Amino acid sequence: MDNLSDTLKKLKITAVDKTEDSLEGCLDCLLQALAQNNTETSEKIQASGILQLFASLLTPQSSCKAKVANIIAEVAKNDEGRSAVDQAGGAQIVIDHLRSLCSITDPANEKLLTVFCGMLMNYSNENDSLQAQLINMGVIPTLVKLLGIHCQNAALTEMCLVAFGNLAELESSKEQFASTNIAEELVKLFKKQIEHDKREMIFEVLAPLAENDAIKLQLVEAGLVECLLEIVQQKVDSDKEDDITELKTGSDLMVLLLLGDESMQKLFEGGKGSVFQRVLSWIPSNNHQLQLAGALAIANFARNDANCIHMVDNGIVEKLMDLLDRHVEDGNVTVQHAALSALRNLAIPVINKAKMLSAGVTEAVLKFLKSEMPPVQFKLLGTLRMLIDAQAEAAEQLGKNVKLVERLVEWCEAKDHAGVMGESNRLLSALIRHSKSKDVIKTIVQSGGIKHLVTMATSEHVIMQNEALVALALIAALELGTAEKDLESAKLVQILHRLLADERSAPEIKYNSMVLICALMGSECLHKEVQDLAFLDVVSKLRSHENKSVAQQASLTEQRLTVES
């Protein structure tokens, strides 16, 4: 290390003179020093300013190119070094050399390419701004071309994959990747790999790339799905750790590819596709990972009505219910969540609801009412809410289920889990809105649900506010006597006054608030509250509201308040 300063001084002189022998000696000394103590040597190189001269040593004629590039790559192994290399024009240097060397396949050139790829790999590691700079300079098409030409070179291939992995995390890279034949190259490479570690490297690039819909479709068209299905088939019965990992990675990636609408439809093929059929066979499997992937895949296939109708008509519901049944007692939470997600999506088309209800889906779902896992609770609630939409008989049956209603009221207070809390409120409201049943209202009143519906009317989401107001109006119209004490203690009248006075309230909120006010007039105690709060002033202003329905309801409400004042 004592000689390092002398070496750097000598290198500055020889870099200008370009005396080849002296240069080679100085560069060898630096590489040796970097190998012995990278951090300290790197700092001294940066401080010396020698990096600025290195560009002139990377000319096509120079015999020192590989050593200079190696030194730059070593310096770029940490953040400070990367920054110094950047200031010395490192990005342009590496891209220019990769482009010029990319198409030449002789061994000496490939060795040099390996050095520059190593430099790029270090340079693009864990630094978003440098990665973005490289992307803007067009490094991705160059790397993809390089991978295609040199796919037989294991060292180059690995460096390309590491660089792809670094760059693919940035959202700005996806569009540039999509404009290349990266999908084709990666699938071609993947098919040739036997070693687990090499496959894992490719998986690490595929996963972030497959988040982009255009690339999803390209990967499907390049035949990745067939590769993944083959891996699943090979690894499903193995208990080796590497095989279990590969099975999980492969099936997870398969599910990810189905998140793109075009790629999903291509694989569904009207429900007759071999991929769809293979995924169906995963659901009755004894392997939890395959059960999970199968259920998630069905949930993804069930993203449009036509697919949902086809799947329900062809018995998918029974398969999912059998799967759920296997996981009731101490079951796998992720499988429960996935199967419920699939059932929820399948229940969206109107035509499917009655079929799924008669198949016994509500009974299958209610078995998970005791679950303490918020993700399962959330999907359970969503599935039930979808099933009872416009299904009066089912809504009444569920709404009279005391255990269910009590659990909903409990979950309405799950402040740590906003999703569960919101879905519980929405299902409580839906039971009333779709059943229009006095018995359902009585069950909800007795279980303490009224206060939650009143709170729901103050939600930041207009759709939830509206659902609450409609449910409360039905309560007031059908069972006001039963509910009036709870409505009074929940301060419903004051909340309605605030909603009507607030200029930000949506027209439908104002309209339904006035309908509810009129319905509350049948209760003596609530009527008195309405009078005390001078509603007439607020309502009369709404007669000139730009929304005709609001203006008309304001006139009717004003008349009612005037007559009953």
Side-chain angles (χ1 to χ4, degrees), residues 318-508:
E318 288 72 16
K319 285 185 172 68
L320 289 167
M321 287 198 300
D322 287 346
L323 177 59
L324 275 175
D325 227 34
R326 294 163 71 183
H327 289 277
V328 174
E329 299 299 328
D330 305 319
N332 184 302
V333 172
T334 55
V335 175
Q336 292 171 358
H337 178 261
L340 289 167
S341 297
L343 287 170
R344 180 201 172 279
N345 288 2
L346 290 166
I348 293 171
V350 175
I351 196 170
N352 281 357
K353 297 180 195 296
K355 292 174 185 174
M356 291 176 71
L357 287 165
S358 62
V361 173
T362 47
E363 293 80 356
V365 169
L366 285 171
K367 289 177 185 175
F368 295 90
L369 208 53
K370 57 189 176 184
S371 173
E372 294 302 328
M373 304 305 293
V376 174
Q377 295 167 354
F378 180 73
K379 288 299 177 184
L380 175 153
L381 292 164
T383 307
L384 292 176
R385 187 165 64 80
M386 287 301 157
L387 281 169
I388 64 163
D389 188 12
Q391 305 295 311
E393 193 182 326
E396 181 165 12
Q397 195 179 342
L398 282 177
K400 291 192 289 189
N401 182 328
V402 177
K403 278 187 180 174
L404 169 64
V405 174
E406 285 177 348
R407 194 70 160 134
L408 291 183
V409 170
E410 181 189 329
W411 286 341
C412 281
E413 292 169 5
K415 290 184 172 58
D416 292 341
H417 303 285
V420 172
M421 192 165 73
E423 275 293 343
S424 302
N425 278 297
R426 293 190 77 184
L427 182 53
L428 211 53
S429 156
L431 292 170
I432 295 167
R433 289 183 295 108
H434 297 303
S435 70
K436 299 180 176 61
S437 158
K438 291 186 173 191
D439 289 339
V440 170
I441 293 168
K442 285 175 185 170
T443 306
I444 288 171
V445 171
Q446 285 159 11
S447 302
I450 296 296
K451 63 181 179 181
H452 297 298
L453 290 170
V454 174
T455 303
M456 185 181 168
T458 64
S459 166
E460 59 187 22
H461 305 290
V462 172
I463 192 166
M464 286 179 67
Q465 279 187 292
N466 215 35
E467 287 171 359
L469 291 169
V470 172
L472 289 165
L474 283 165
I475 291 168
L478 297 170
E479 275 297 324
L480 185 56
T482 308
E484 67 178 345
K485 283 183 182 173
D486 287 353
L487 293 170
E488 185 183 16
S489 62
K491 299 189 168 32
L492 173 61
V493 174
Q494 290 96 311
I495 285 168
L496 292 173
H497 190 275
R498 279 207 309 275
L499 290 174
L500 288 171
D502 190 344
E503 289 179 8
R504 294 166 298 176
S505 292
E508 59 267 40

Side-chain angles (χ1 to χ4, degrees), residues 34 68-69 141 194 249 253 269 287 309 347 356 359 363 428 463 512:
L34 282 162
V68 172
I194 301 166
T249 312
L253 185 53
E269 290 183 69
N287 183 297
I309 293 163
M356 291 176 71
E363 293 80 356
L428 211 53
I463 192 166
N512 282 320

Side-chain angles (χ1 to χ4, degrees), residues 264-280 298 301-302 304 306-316 319:
M264 178 269 287
Q265 280 303 95
K266 190 172 180 67
L267 295 171
F268 189 66
E269 290 183 69
K272 295 180 174 63
S274 60
V275 173
F276 172 65
Q277 295 301 327
R278 191 83 71 90
V279 164
L280 280 185
I298 296 303
F301 280 126
N304 69 45
N307 291 6
C308 288
I309 293 163
H310 176 89
M311 286 192 279
V312 169
D313 286 346
N314 285 273
I316 192 65
K319 285 185 172 68

Side-chain angles (χ1 to χ4, degrees), residues 30-156:
L30 281 189
L31 283 167
Q32 197 176 351
L34 282 162
Q36 289 170 357
N37 189 331
N38 180 283
T39 307
E40 190 179 332
T41 307
S42 176
E43 284 171 5
K44 289 193 176 182
I45 289 171
Q46 292 165 49
S48 73
I50 195 73
L51 286 171
Q52 308 296 334
L53 294 173
F54 274 2
S56 66
L57 299 177
L58 288 167
T59 58
Q61 300 79 22
S62 171
S63 60
C64 307
K65 282 202 295 279
K67 289 177 181 176
V68 172
N70 256 323
I71 292 167
I72 298 173
E74 287 296 315
V75 172
K77 278 186 172 175
N78 58 53
D79 274 345
E80 291 77 13
R82 276 191 281 275
S83 180
V85 170
D86 180 44
Q87 285 167 16
Q92 196 64 60
I93 290 169
V94 74
I95 289 173
D96 285 349
H97 281 82
L98 287 176
R99 279 182 186 146
S100 66
L101 297 167
C102 172
S103 303
I104 308 165
T105 54
D106 65 78
N109 182 68
E110 286 198 351
K111 190 175 179 185
L112 196 52
L113 257 177
T114 307
V115 175
F116 279 104
C117 274
M119 180 177 160
L120 175 74
M121 191 175 71
N122 292 347
Y123 189 63
S124 63
N125 189 35
E126 294 181 358
N127 189 311
D128 287 359
S129 64
L130 290 180
Q131 287 167 6
Q133 185 185 343
L134 288 164
I135 291 163
N136 290 336
M137 293 169 84
V139 75
I140 288 170
T142 303
L143 280 178
V144 175
K145 185 180 174 185
L146 192 150
L147 181 67
I149 294 169
H150 300 275
C151 57
Q152 302 301 326
N153 185 316
L156 269 176

